[in-house]
Amino acid sequence: MATIKDVAKLAGVSTTTVSHVINKTRHVAEDTKNIVLSAIEELNYSPSAVARSLKVNTTKSIGMIVTTSEAPYFAEIIHAVEEQCYRQGYSLFLCNTQNNPEKIKNHVEMLAKKRVDGILVMCSEYKDDSLDLLKNYSNIPMVVMDWGPLNPNTDRILDNSFQGGYLAGKYLVENGHKEIGYLSAELTKTTARKRYEGFLKALHEADLEMNPDWLYEGSFEPEDGYECMNRLLAQPVRPTAVFCCNDIMAFGAISAITEKGLRVPDDISIIGYDNVHISRFCAPPLTTIHQSKARLGERALNLLFERITNKSDERKTIEIYPELVIRKSVKKIN
């Protein structure tokens, strides 16, 4: 394997000149630069990324810590971040936590040892000890996005969940539904609670009341959508439509409905939330509330790049706006 000394010898220059050409740290005459580049190509020389990072104080790498890359919502955010990293010439180290503080600690330590230029943290919830761990690495540029209330130690994602829940409830009401169930993640979570509150506003505007027997809490997982829907279907009277707190729960709910020999939307209408990529390909295609995962990922990463460049610790808010996406899973009734 060729070394920088081999390149210098072939080009007839010093190793310092070769280094300046590679790292663009000083002006080198055009003719000399071309000779060095030709020598690099001829020898197929690849400079050591570690050695180079020590000299220019950058590894051109980013760490990303998420709850889970398996969830379609996070997967689409990760895809946007990775694509943006690729365009900027950065490598991405991806770490999953499952909201485990010990995993967060180990991942941050590992990323610090790899001397990443910055860390993007996008977990669905944080515990106090998790945030304390992150504060211990304040020397690393970091963006910590939180969907919850404004926290002085985190940046904020303002996803307007209340408005999204309202859009979903209003659409069901406008299509003639008066008996509507709700499958939710834990209502202690900000996003789930705000979506439910927006949904209730739409019902109240139509002089409708939420039947407490049709409200079930689980988590943002297909298994919970499946189990909650089975419990709802076991009720002596069932609703004509169900709003699911996210698309993944909706997929589980549709599976439970189908297993009972019922059909969506002929027997029960379903509306989801998030507009994950696969929602348009389920049977029937899912009516849902869209939030731009690509825009969120790109804006969060751009904020991290700003923090790397400017060394600023000012907390920021990234706002995204929900939109109704109409497909085939809601039936209009008289």
Side-chain angles (χ1 to χ4, degrees):
M1 182 179 293
T3 67
I4 192 170
K5 291 182 179 179
D6 297 325
V7 174
K9 183 177 180 180
L10 180 60
V13 299
S14 68
T15 55
T16 302
T17 299
V18 175
S19 177
H20 286 315
V21 171
I22 293 171
N23 296 313
K24 300 178 182 178
T25 48
R26 196 181 73 187
H27 175 72
V28 178
E30 195 66 26
D31 289 345
T32 303
K33 177 181 175 182
N34 290 335
I35 291 171
V36 171
L37 293 175
S38 295
I40 289 173
E41 184 177 357
E42 182 176 336
L43 294 173
N44 195 27
Y45 170 67
S46 178
S48 166
V50 174
R52 184 178 180 186
S53 69
L54 291 172
K55 290 184 178 181
V56 299
N57 200 30
T58 177
T59 58
K60 299 290 284 185
S61 61
I62 295 293
M64 185 175 185
I65 299 176
V66 298
T67 304
T68 172
S69 56
E70 291 183 357
Y73 180 80
F74 278 110
E76 292 182 34
I77 294 175
I78 293 165
H79 175 75
V81 169
E82 192 279 331
E83 182 65 24
Q84 192 75 355
C85 282
Y86 176 77
R87 291 176 183 173
Q88 300 283 345
Y90 278 76
S91 299
L92 180 68
F93 293 101
L94 179 63
C95 306
N96 291 275
T97 70
Q98 283 77 41
N99 287 325
N100 184 330
E102 185 66 21
K103 279 193 170 185
I104 293 177
K105 176 177 180 292
N106 292 336
H107 287 321
V108 175
E109 287 179 352
M110 178 271 293
L111 293 170
K113 289 177 181 177
K114 289 186 177 294
R115 301 182 69 250
V116 295
D117 295 340
I119 301 176
L120 176 59
V121 188
M122 300 186 77
C123 296
S124 58
E125 61 182 50
Y126 297 97
K127 299 178 174 67
D128 289 340
D129 50 356
S130 299
L131 293 175
D132 289 340
L133 283 171
L134 297 174
K135 283 194 293 184
N136 292 336
Y137 291 87
S138 57
N139 59 313
I140 304 175
M142 194 176 299
V143 169
V144 183
M145 304 304 306
D146 192 356
W147 279 261
L150 188 61
N151 186 318
N153 299 315
T154 67
D155 301 282
R156 188 184 185 196
I157 297 172
L158 185 59
D159 63 356
N160 291 289
S161 285
F162 183 92
Q163 179 64 16
Y166 175 78
L167 289 174
K170 184 178 180 182
Y171 181 71
L172 293 176
V173 169
E174 288 176 343
N175 278 272
H177 296 278
K178 298 180 179 180
E179 299 172 326
I180 306 171
Y182 191 91
L183 305 189
S184 180
E186 298 94 330
L187 289 171
T188 54
K189 292 185 176 180
T190 302
T191 51
R193 187 179 70 255
K194 289 297 183 182
R195 290 172 192 180
Y196 181 58
E197 290 172 354
F199 167 73
L200 288 180
K201 179 186 177 184
L203 294 190
H204 294 161
E205 285 183 353
D207 293 325
L208 300 175
E209 293 295 329
M210 177 70 200
N211 185 337
D213 293 335
W214 293 341
L215 171 63
Y216 290 95
E217 291 182 60
S219 65
F220 289 114
E221 299 295 338
E223 294 85 357
D224 292 86
Y226 177 84
E227 293 298 334
C228 288
M229 179 54 76
N230 274 324
R231 291 162 64 191
L232 179 55
L233 292 174
Q235 292 284 335
V237 178
R238 65 171 184 252
T240 62
V242 175
F243 176 24
C244 297
C245 196
N246 72 342
D247 290 349
I248 306 306
M249 292 188 77
F251 299 152
I254 291 172
S255 178
I257 292 168
T258 303
E259 284 186 4
K260 291 292 188 295
L262 303 172
R263 292 179 298 173
V264 176
D266 295 339
D267 298 304
I268 300 180
S269 292
I270 297 289
I271 188 168
Y273 202 111
D274 285 339
N275 191 30
V276 298
H277 180 70
I278 59 174
S279 63
R280 74 195 71 177
F281 302 111
C282 68
L286 185 66
T287 294
T288 185
I289 303 299
H290 170 74
Q291 352 184 52
S292 179
K293 280 76 68 185
R295 188 178 303 121
L296 174 57
E298 289 172 8
R299 291 182 64 185
L301 184 61
N302 286 336
L303 176 57
L304 180 58
F305 284 146
E306 288 178 19
R307 206 154 281 172
I308 291 169
T309 303
N310 301 324
K311 309 299 181 184
S312 170
D313 281 334
E314 181 186 354
R315 299 296 104 182
K316 296 288 184 70
T317 294
I318 294 178
E319 187 167 9
I320 53 178
Y321 301 91
E323 302 171 18
L324 175 66
V325 178
I326 300 172
R327 295 197 179 103
K328 303 291 185 182
S329 63
V330 175
K331 177 182 178 182
K332 187 175 182 66
I333 60 177
N334 295 325

mmCIF file with all atom_site columns, all heavy atoms in Angstrom, residues 270-284:
data_model
loop_
_atom_site.group_PDB
_atom_site.id
_atom_site.type_symbol
_atom_site.label_atom_id
_atom_site.label_alt_id
_atom_site.label_comp_id
_atom_site.label_asym_id
_atom_site.label_entity_id
_atom_site.label_seq_id
_atom_site.pdbx_PDB_ins_code
_atom_site.Cartn_x
_atom_site.Cartn_y
_atom_site.Cartn_z
_atom_site.occupancy
_atom_site.B_iso_or_equiv
_atom_site.pdbx_formal_charge
_atom_site.auth_seq_id
_atom_site.auth_comp_id
_atom_site.auth_asym_id
_atom_site.auth_atom_id
_atom_site.pdbx_PDB_model_num
ATOM 1   N N   . ILE A 1 270 ? -61.048 3.697  8.747  1.00 0.00 ? 270 ILE A N   1
ATOM 2   C CA  . ILE A 1 270 ? -59.824 3.896  9.523  1.00 0.00 ? 270 ILE A CA  1
ATOM 3   C C   . ILE A 1 270 ? -59.066 5.101  8.979  1.00 0.00 ? 270 ILE A C   1
ATOM 4   O O   . ILE A 1 270 ? -58.906 5.259  7.762  1.00 0.00 ? 270 ILE A O   1
ATOM 5   C CB  . ILE A 1 270 ? -58.897 2.654  9.440  1.00 0.00 ? 270 ILE A CB  1
ATOM 6   C CG1 . ILE A 1 270 ? -59.565 1.424  10.055 1.00 0.00 ? 270 ILE A CG1 1
ATOM 7   C CG2 . ILE A 1 270 ? -57.549 2.937  10.121 1.00 0.00 ? 270 ILE A CG2 1
ATOM 8   C CD1 . ILE A 1 270 ? -59.687 1.469  11.568 1.00 0.00 ? 270 ILE A CD1 1
ATOM 9   N N   . ILE A 1 271 ? -58.577 5.945  9.894  1.00 0.00 ? 271 ILE A N   1
ATOM 10  C CA  . ILE A 1 271 ? -57.676 7.024  9.505  1.00 0.00 ? 271 ILE A CA  1
ATOM 11  C C   . ILE A 1 271 ? -56.443 6.948  10.402 1.00 0.00 ? 271 ILE A C   1
ATOM 12  O O   . ILE A 1 271 ? -56.548 6.652  11.592 1.00 0.00 ? 271 ILE A O   1
ATOM 13  C CB  . ILE A 1 271 ? -58.372 8.411  9.610  1.00 0.00 ? 271 ILE A CB  1
ATOM 14  C CG1 . ILE A 1 271 ? -57.481 9.502  8.999  1.00 0.00 ? 271 ILE A CG1 1
ATOM 15  C CG2 . ILE A 1 271 ? -58.746 8.756  11.033 1.00 0.00 ? 271 ILE A CG2 1
ATOM 16  C CD1 . ILE A 1 271 ? -58.212 10.824 8.809  1.00 0.00 ? 271 ILE A CD1 1
ATOM 17  N N   . GLY A 1 272 ? -55.270 7.159  9.811  1.00 0.00 ? 272 GLY A N   1
ATOM 18  C CA  . GLY A 1 272 ? -54.021 7.075  10.565 1.00 0.00 ? 272 GLY A CA  1
ATOM 19  C C   . GLY A 1 272 ? -53.360 8.428  10.727 1.00 0.00 ? 272 GLY A C   1
ATOM 20  O O   . GLY A 1 272 ? -53.979 9.479  10.540 1.00 0.00 ? 272 GLY A O   1
ATOM 21  N N   . TYR A 1 273 ? -52.066 8.376  11.068 1.00 0.00 ? 273 TYR A N   1
ATOM 22  C CA  . TYR A 1 273 ? -51.308 9.613  11.286 1.00 0.00 ? 273 TYR A CA  1
ATOM 23  C C   . TYR A 1 273 ? -49.838 9.336  10.997 1.00 0.00 ? 273 TYR A C   1
ATOM 24  O O   . TYR A 1 273 ? -49.299 8.337  11.435 1.00 0.00 ? 273 TYR A O   1
ATOM 25  C CB  . TYR A 1 273 ? -51.452 10.070 12.741 1.00 0.00 ? 273 TYR A CB  1
ATOM 26  C CG  . TYR A 1 273 ? -51.183 11.545 12.974 1.00 0.00 ? 273 TYR A CG  1
ATOM 27  C CD1 . TYR A 1 273 ? -52.209 12.415 13.317 1.00 0.00 ? 273 TYR A CD1 1
ATOM 28  C CD2 . TYR A 1 273 ? -49.899 12.076 12.861 1.00 0.00 ? 273 TYR A CD2 1
ATOM 29  C CE1 . TYR A 1 273 ? -51.977 13.768 13.540 1.00 0.00 ? 273 TYR A CE1 1
ATOM 30  C CE2 . TYR A 1 273 ? -49.657 13.414 13.075 1.00 0.00 ? 273 TYR A CE2 1
ATOM 31  C CZ  . TYR A 1 273 ? -50.686 14.265 13.410 1.00 0.00 ? 273 TYR A CZ  1
ATOM 32  O OH  . TYR A 1 273 ? -50.452 15.606 13.620 1.00 0.00 ? 273 TYR A OH  1
ATOM 33  N N   . ASP A 1 274 ? -49.191 10.213 10.256 1.00 0.00 ? 274 ASP A N   1
ATOM 34  C CA  . ASP A 1 274 ? -47.755 10.215 9.913  1.00 0.00 ? 274 ASP A CA  1
ATOM 35  C C   . ASP A 1 274 ? -47.518 10.139 8.410  1.00 0.00 ? 274 ASP A C   1
ATOM 36  O O   . ASP A 1 274 ? -46.548 10.672 7.901  1.00 0.00 ? 274 ASP A O   1
ATOM 37  C CB  . ASP A 1 274 ? -46.946 9.082  10.566 1.00 0.00 ? 274 ASP A CB  1
ATOM 38  C CG  . ASP A 1 274 ? -46.678 9.332  12.031 1.00 0.00 ? 274 ASP A CG  1
ATOM 39  O OD1 . ASP A 1 274 ? -46.745 10.510 12.449 1.00 0.00 ? 274 ASP A OD1 1
ATOM 40  O OD2 . ASP A 1 274 ? -46.409 8.360  12.763 1.00 0.00 ? 274 ASP A OD2 1
ATOM 41  N N   . ASN A 1 275 ? -48.381 9.398  7.682  1.00 0.00 ? 275 ASN A N   1
ATOM 42  C CA  . ASN A 1 275 ? -48.185 9.179  6.250  1.00 0.00 ? 275 ASN A CA  1
ATOM 43  C C   . ASN A 1 275 ? -46.819 8.568  5.974  1.00 0.00 ? 275 ASN A C   1
ATOM 44  O O   . ASN A 1 275 ? -46.033 9.077  5.161  1.00 0.00 ? 275 ASN A O   1
ATOM 45  C CB  . ASN A 1 275 ? -48.356 10.474 5.452  1.00 0.00 ? 275 ASN A CB  1
ATOM 46  C CG  . ASN A 1 275 ? -48.428 10.236 3.951  1.00 0.00 ? 275 ASN A CG  1
ATOM 47  O OD1 . ASN A 1 275 ? -48.890 9.184  3.502  1.00 0.00 ? 275 ASN A OD1 1
ATOM 48  N ND2 . ASN A 1 275 ? -47.968 11.192 3.158  1.00 0.00 ? 275 ASN A ND2 1
ATOM 49  N N   . VAL A 1 276 ? -46.531 7.433  6.638  1.00 0.00 ? 276 VAL A N   1
ATOM 50  C CA  . VAL A 1 276 ? -45.297 6.710  6.325  1.00 0.00 ? 276 VAL A CA  1
ATOM 51  C C   . VAL A 1 276 ? -45.415 6.144  4.910  1.00 0.00 ? 276 VAL A C   1
ATOM 52  O O   . VAL A 1 276 ? -46.516 5.968  4.378  1.00 0.00 ? 276 VAL A O   1
ATOM 53  C CB  . VAL A 1 276 ? -45.024 5.583  7.347  1.00 0.00 ? 276 VAL A CB  1
ATOM 54  C CG1 . VAL A 1 276 ? -44.831 6.167  8.733  1.00 0.00 ? 276 VAL A CG1 1
ATOM 55  C CG2 . VAL A 1 276 ? -46.128 4.534  7.351  1.00 0.00 ? 276 VAL A CG2 1
ATOM 56  N N   . HIS A 1 277 ? -44.281 5.874  4.308  1.00 0.00 ? 277 HIS A N   1
ATOM 57  C CA  . HIS A 1 277 ? -44.238 5.523  2.881  1.00 0.00 ? 277 HIS A CA  1
ATOM 58  C C   . HIS A 1 277 ? -45.156 4.353  2.533  1.00 0.00 ? 277 HIS A C   1
ATOM 59  O O   . HIS A 1 277 ? -45.844 4.381  1.508  1.00 0.00 ? 277 HIS A O   1
ATOM 60  C CB  . HIS A 1 277 ? -42.791 5.194  2.497  1.00 0.00 ? 277 HIS A CB  1
ATOM 61  C CG  . HIS A 1 277 ? -42.617 4.810  1.064  1.00 0.00 ? 277 HIS A CG  1
ATOM 62  N ND1 . HIS A 1 277 ? -42.757 5.713  0.026  1.00 0.00 ? 277 HIS A ND1 1
ATOM 63  C CD2 . HIS A 1 277 ? -42.324 3.615  0.483  1.00 0.00 ? 277 HIS A CD2 1
ATOM 64  C CE1 . HIS A 1 277 ? -42.556 5.097  -1.125 1.00 0.00 ? 277 HIS A CE1 1
ATOM 65  N NE2 . HIS A 1 277 ? -42.295 3.830  -0.880 1.00 0.00 ? 277 HIS A NE2 1
ATOM 66  N N   . ILE A 1 278 ? -45.182 3.319  3.374  1.00 0.00 ? 278 ILE A N   1
ATOM 67  C CA  . ILE A 1 278 ? -45.947 2.115  3.026  1.00 0.00 ? 278 ILE A CA  1
ATOM 68  C C   . ILE A 1 278 ? -47.450 2.300  3.208  1.00 0.00 ? 278 ILE A C   1
ATOM 69  O O   . ILE A 1 278 ? -48.223 1.419  2.823  1.00 0.00 ? 278 ILE A O   1
ATOM 70  C CB  . ILE A 1 278 ? -45.468 0.889  3.840  1.00 0.00 ? 278 ILE A CB  1
ATOM 71  C CG1 . ILE A 1 278 ? -45.607 1.156  5.346  1.00 0.00 ? 278 ILE A CG1 1
ATOM 72  C CG2 . ILE A 1 278 ? -44.041 0.532  3.496  1.00 0.00 ? 278 ILE A CG2 1
ATOM 73  C CD1 . ILE A 1 278 ? -45.287 -0.076 6.197  1.00 0.00 ? 278 ILE A CD1 1
ATOM 74  N N   . SER A 1 279 ? -47.898 3.425  3.793  1.00 0.00 ? 279 SER A N   1
ATOM 75  C CA  . SER A 1 279 ? -49.333 3.605  4.034  1.00 0.00 ? 279 SER A CA  1
ATOM 76  C C   . SER A 1 279 ? -50.132 3.659  2.738  1.00 0.00 ? 279 SER A C   1
ATOM 77  O O   . SER A 1 279 ? -51.310 3.306  2.710  1.00 0.00 ? 279 SER A O   1
ATOM 78  C CB  . SER A 1 279 ? -49.586 4.868  4.856  1.00 0.00 ? 279 SER A CB  1
ATOM 79  O OG  . SER A 1 279 ? -49.169 6.016  4.159  1.00 0.00 ? 279 SER A OG  1
ATOM 80  N N   . ARG A 1 280 ? -49.496 4.083  1.654  1.00 0.00 ? 280 ARG A N   1
ATOM 81  C CA  . ARG A 1 280 ? -50.215 4.155  0.372  1.00 0.00 ? 280 ARG A CA  1
ATOM 82  C C   . ARG A 1 280 ? -50.347 2.795  -0.288 1.00 0.00 ? 280 ARG A C   1
ATOM 83  O O   . ARG A 1 280 ? -51.089 2.637  -1.256 1.00 0.00 ? 280 ARG A O   1
ATOM 84  C CB  . ARG A 1 280 ? -49.487 5.123  -0.563 1.00 0.00 ? 280 ARG A CB  1
ATOM 85  C CG  . ARG A 1 280 ? -48.190 4.618  -1.152 1.00 0.00 ? 280 ARG A CG  1
ATOM 86  C CD  . ARG A 1 280 ? -47.346 5.717  -1.751 1.00 0.00 ? 280 ARG A CD  1
ATOM 87  N NE  . ARG A 1 280 ? -46.788 6.571  -0.696 1.00 0.00 ? 280 ARG A NE  1
ATOM 88  C CZ  . ARG A 1 280 ? -45.966 7.583  -0.931 1.00 0.00 ? 280 ARG A CZ  1
ATOM 89  N NH1 . ARG A 1 280 ? -45.617 7.880  -2.156 1.00 0.00 ? 280 ARG A NH1 1
ATOM 90  N NH2 . ARG A 1 280 ? -45.495 8.291  0.068  1.00 0.00 ? 280 ARG A NH2 1
ATOM 91  N N   . PHE A 1 281 ? -49.621 1.783  0.225  1.00 0.00 ? 281 PHE A N   1
ATOM 92  C CA  . PHE A 1 281 ? -49.620 0.470  -0.418 1.00 0.00 ? 281 PHE A CA  1
ATOM 93  C C   . PHE A 1 281 ? -50.376 -0.587 0.375  1.00 0.00 ? 281 PHE A C   1
ATOM 94  O O   . PHE A 1 281 ? -50.416 -1.748 -0.036 1.00 0.00 ? 281 PHE A O   1
ATOM 95  C CB  . PHE A 1 281 ? -48.177 0.000  -0.638 1.00 0.00 ? 281 PHE A CB  1
ATOM 96  C CG  . PHE A 1 281 ? -47.366 0.935  -1.474 1.00 0.00 ? 281 PHE A CG  1
ATOM 97  C CD1 . PHE A 1 281 ? -46.334 1.668  -0.923 1.00 0.00 ? 281 PHE A CD1 1
ATOM 98  C CD2 . PHE A 1 281 ? -47.660 1.114  -2.822 1.00 0.00 ? 281 PHE A CD2 1
ATOM 99  C CE1 . PHE A 1 281 ? -45.590 2.546  -1.693 1.00 0.00 ? 281 PHE A CE1 1
ATOM 100 C CE2 . PHE A 1 281 ? -46.923 1.995  -3.600 1.00 0.00 ? 281 PHE A CE2 1
ATOM 101 C CZ  . PHE A 1 281 ? -45.891 2.711  -3.037 1.00 0.00 ? 281 PHE A CZ  1
ATOM 102 N N   . CYS A 1 282 ? -50.944 -0.231 1.546  1.00 0.00 ? 282 CYS A N   1
ATOM 103 C CA  . CYS A 1 282 ? -51.719 -1.229 2.278  1.00 0.00 ? 282 CYS A CA  1
ATOM 104 C C   . CYS A 1 282 ? -53.088 -1.365 1.622  1.00 0.00 ? 282 CYS A C   1
ATOM 105 O O   . CYS A 1 282 ? -53.438 -0.625 0.702  1.00 0.00 ? 282 CYS A O   1
ATOM 106 C CB  . CYS A 1 282 ? -51.832 -0.851 3.753  1.00 0.00 ? 282 CYS A CB  1
ATOM 107 S SG  . CYS A 1 282 ? -52.818 0.606  4.096  1.00 0.00 ? 282 CYS A SG  1
ATOM 108 N N   . ALA A 1 283 ? -53.879 -2.344 2.069  1.00 0.00 ? 283 ALA A N   1
ATOM 109 C CA  . ALA A 1 283 ? -55.175 -2.601 1.450  1.00 0.00 ? 283 ALA A CA  1
ATOM 110 C C   . ALA A 1 283 ? -56.280 -2.366 2.478  1.00 0.00 ? 283 ALA A C   1
ATOM 111 O O   . ALA A 1 283 ? -56.392 -3.126 3.444  1.00 0.00 ? 283 ALA A O   1
ATOM 112 C CB  . ALA A 1 283 ? -55.238 -4.034 0.927  1.00 0.00 ? 283 ALA A CB  1
ATOM 113 N N   . PRO A 1 284 ? -57.095 -1.318 2.290  1.00 0.00 ? 284 PRO A N   1
ATOM 114 C CA  . PRO A 1 284 ? -57.001 -0.299 1.238  1.00 0.00 ? 284 PRO A CA  1
ATOM 115 C C   . PRO A 1 284 ? -55.930 0.741  1.576  1.00 0.00 ? 284 PRO A C   1
ATOM 116 O O   . PRO A 1 284 ? -55.503 0.818  2.736  1.00 0.00 ? 284 PRO A O   1
ATOM 117 C CB  . PRO A 1 284 ? -58.392 0.344  1.267  1.00 0.00 ? 284 PRO A CB  1
ATOM 118 C CG  . PRO A 1 284 ? -58.788 0.252  2.715  1.00 0.00 ? 284 PRO A CG  1
ATOM 119 C CD  . PRO A 1 284 ? -58.238 -1.064 3.202  1.00 0.00 ? 284 PRO A CD  1
#
